[in-house]
Amino acid sequence: MEKLLIQGGTPLQGRVGISGAKNSAVALIPAAILADGPVVIENLPHIQDVEIYVNLLKDMGASVLFEDDWMEIDARPIHKTFMPNGKVKKLRASYYLWGALLGKFGEAQIGLPGGCDLGPRPVDLHIKGFEALGATVENCKGVMIVRAKKLRGARIYLDLVSVGATINIMLAAVRAEGITTIENAAREPEIVDVATLLNNMGARISGAGTDVIRIQGVDILRGCRHTIIPDRIEAGTYMIAAAATGGDVVVENVIAKHMEPVSAKLRELGVEIIEGDDAIRIIGKKEYKAVDVKTSPYPGFPTDLQQPMTTLLTLAEGTSIVTDNIYSSRFRHSDELRRMGAAIKIEGRSAVVEGVTPLTGAKAMASDLRAGAALVIAGLIAKGNTEVEGLEHIDRGYENLVQKLSNLGAKVERVTLGEAEQ
Ligand code: UD1
């Protein structure tokens, strides 16, 4: 077991390069199953979720070569569409195997997914989409059995905006007969990224990035080469960390447009933000004013940055209300922040943050991926030393976190439990 040791109080300074998007990577890798030839994906982050996915594909028989930041996937040797448990439970995005295997083989038997515990995370919209395309879906003791003799295009309205359901339906529909339209589709940049890969393979998808996506089914999808977009959540995490420490950081390899919801909110607090073509400079200040944050689907403020943002708001003068409209109970980090000195009350699906409350170093446990990011930022601003445990969550989504923070001047190291006490 490992933990992070953080000595707080150093303003972050310098430049940090952003890796490829986790939430794209975990959809693009299964999307490669649909191709009848090798797919090369570039700018892949080295994170646990990607490693797990590679192993899943290899277990199914695919040939996968993962070198530096690129991967070649040849899914033609896949001979297994049955994976009830084990690795599929280690990540949320294993649900994309339903859509990809259904689209390619007309069958998938894959266990229900795991991932961060953020409260209820149903998959009814995925099921609704598959059924509309003509599949039968059965939940057999936690294993989803999805089958179709023939998939036919359909008009599908999503009752809620869902990233996962939108992508899963696209994966199943690209080889269906006829036209599928997804209405009230999610508009996240990762959806555009997946549609771009699929179109490079020969799919005919239009409208990705809007709330109506149209998919004209095709018979054959070929291999191709694709570069993943930058991770807007990783970028946002460094932007918030830079602001929180009163630092001056250039976040490189970003798409500034994707960062607008975050940049706008940081400006409202009083952070200075200078946008370049593919870089954003964040100049932190000594004082911030309280703001309200409401998460919503893209282009709203991302729920995945709500937790790191809450840490920053402990430094803002006044009362900030953070409302998570996507996940009602994504507030488990607030107990840990309170132990470090924050004044946070949870009221329904909102966290009420009173600032300014100087934080003091403590032992803290990351309960999920972005809670981990929130606690690391807390450690960076706290007086004294902070120990963050639960690194298995952080490793799922942040490439080279310690290295990147150290390059920015942070005093952070990763130690094996027990080593620190010696
Ligand atoms: C994705 C992201 C995750 C992010 C989330 C919201 C990946 C791998 N993960 O998760 O990082 O926090 O989007 O931006 O891309 N819902 C239903 N029924 C469904 C599906 C979803 O009720 O069938 C609800 C969810 O409980 C949630 C909301 O819809 O309240 C949005 O969830 P969704 O966009 O599907 O999240 P994920 O795709 O799982």
Side-chain angles (χ1 to χ4, degrees):
M1 272 256 256
E2 293 177 302
K3 63 182 168 185
L4 292 183
L5 294 185
I6 307 168
Q7 192 187 325
T10 311
L12 299 185
Q13 306 273 354
R15 310 175 89 82
V16 59
I18 297 306
S19 305
K22 162 188 164 291
N23 286 351
S24 275
V26 295
L28 296 170
I29 295 170
I33 291 174
L34 288 156
D36 296 316
V39 172
V40 175
I41 305 173
E42 294 172 325
N43 197 30
L44 265 173
H46 280 268
I47 51 174
Q48 268 303 311
D49 274 15
V50 166
E51 305 287 348
I52 295 167
Y53 236 123
V54 170
N55 287 327
L56 279 172
L57 257 63
K58 282 184 177 167
D59 287 353
M60 290 191 293
S63 123
V64 185
L65 183 66
F66 191 7
E67 298 268 343
D68 301 326
D69 70 342
W70 63 272
M71 184 184 292
E72 184 181 85
I73 303 167
D74 188 346
R76 285 173 295 184
I78 285 186
H79 50 78
K80 187 172 156 193
T81 56
F82 175 70
M83 199 148 287
N85 257 310
K87 290 173 195 152
V88 291
K89 290 232 170 293
K90 289 191 174 163
L91 80 169
R92 178 84 187 145
S94 56
Y95 53 32
Y96 291 134
L97 291 173
W98 301 334
L101 292 171
L102 180 65
K104 178 75 174 273
F105 301 106
E107 186 193 64
Q109 297 190 42
I110 305 289
L112 284 162
C116 290
D117 179 8
L118 313 175
R121 298 180 82 177
V123 289
D124 54 309
L125 298 172
H126 303 238
I127 296 173
K128 175 179 165 176
F130 297 146
E131 287 179 340
L133 294 171
T136 58
V137 183
E138 201 188 326
N139 178 348
C140 187
K141 296 185 184 153
V143 180
M144 291 273 286
I145 304 176
V146 189
R147 283 200 182 100
K149 282 210 173 65
K150 186 153 197 59
L151 291 168
R152 288 206 169 76
R155 191 170 153 193
I156 301 162
Y157 178 86
L158 297 180
D159 308 304
L160 276 175
V161 177
S162 160
V163 175
T166 302
I167 292 179
N168 236 340
I169 295 168
M170 283 199 314
L171 294 174
V174 278
R175 295 177 81 141
E177 188 181 285
I179 294 169
T180 298
T181 49
I182 309 174
E183 295 174 11
N184 200 27
R187 292 179 282 165
E188 269 68 1
E190 293 75 22
I191 288 165
V192 180
D193 209 20
V194 176
T196 305
L197 171 87
L198 292 169
N199 283 342
N200 287 344
M201 288 179 181
R204 293 176 62 192
I205 303 173
S206 57
T210 76
D211 60 0
V212 181
I213 299 178
R214 185 176 183 278
I215 304 150
Q216 166 78 62
V218 296
D219 290 334
I220 292 175
L221 294 171
R222 55 180 181 268
C224 69
R225 182 174 283 270
H226 177 83
T227 302
I228 302 187
I229 57 169
D231 195 313
R232 63 197 166 91
I233 306 302
E234 189 201 16
T237 305
Y238 285 103
M239 289 170 71
I240 293 169
T245 58
D248 184 347
V249 171
V250 178
V251 178
E252 296 179 318
N253 183 31
V254 289
I255 297 173
K257 173 124 191 77
H258 294 171
M259 303 314 303
E260 267 171 15
V262 183
S263 300
K265 202 39 85 176
L266 290 177
R267 282 195 178 109
E268 220 178 297
L269 256 97
V271 182
E272 188 178 344
I273 308 253
I274 303 167
E275 286 170 11
D277 283 345
D278 60 357
I280 299 180
R281 181 173 171 196
I282 298 94
I283 305 171
K285 302 289 166 194
K286 290 218 159 51
E287 287 172 12
Y288 295 123
K289 53 179 183 293
V291 297
D292 291 342
V293 178
K294 293 187 177 72
T295 70
S296 53
Y298 189 84
F301 190 91
T303 170
D304 289 347
L305 288 175
Q306 174 265 106
Q307 294 155 296
M309 193 69 178
T310 304
T311 303
L312 172 58
L313 290 173
T314 64
L315 297 171
E317 177 73 41
T319 307
S320 300
I321 301 179
V322 181
T323 306
D324 199 318
N325 291 312
I326 313 284
Y327 297 113
S328 54
S329 46
R330 198 174 198 174
F331 293 114
R332 285 166 67 193
H333 59 298
S334 56
D335 289 339
E336 303 298 90
L337 290 178
R338 258 196 300 270
R339 290 198 308 109
M340 296 175 77
I344 304 176
K345 262 188 314 191
I346 305 303
E347 292 181 359
R349 57 194 318 151
S350 298
V352 182
V353 188
E354 298 290 348
V356 176
T357 50
L359 302 186
T360 311
K363 287 190 180 190
M365 174 60 80
S367 54
D368 58 78
L369 170 57
R370 308 302 170 185
L375 296 178
V376 170
I377 297 171
L380 293 173
I381 59 176
K383 189 166 185 302
N385 297 325
T386 296
E387 297 182 10
V388 180
E389 291 180 24
L391 300 194
E392 67 279 9
H393 297 295
I394 300 177
D395 290 341
R396 287 191 38 226
Y398 288 95
E399 183 176 51
N400 292 338
L401 178 76
V402 170
Q403 189 62 50
K404 288 184 183 187
L405 284 174
S406 301
N407 291 347
L408 293 172
K411 298 198 171 69
V412 51
E413 60 177 321
R414 188 175 179 125
V415 296
T416 303
L417 274 182
E419 204 176 278
E421 280 81 21
Q422 285 166 14

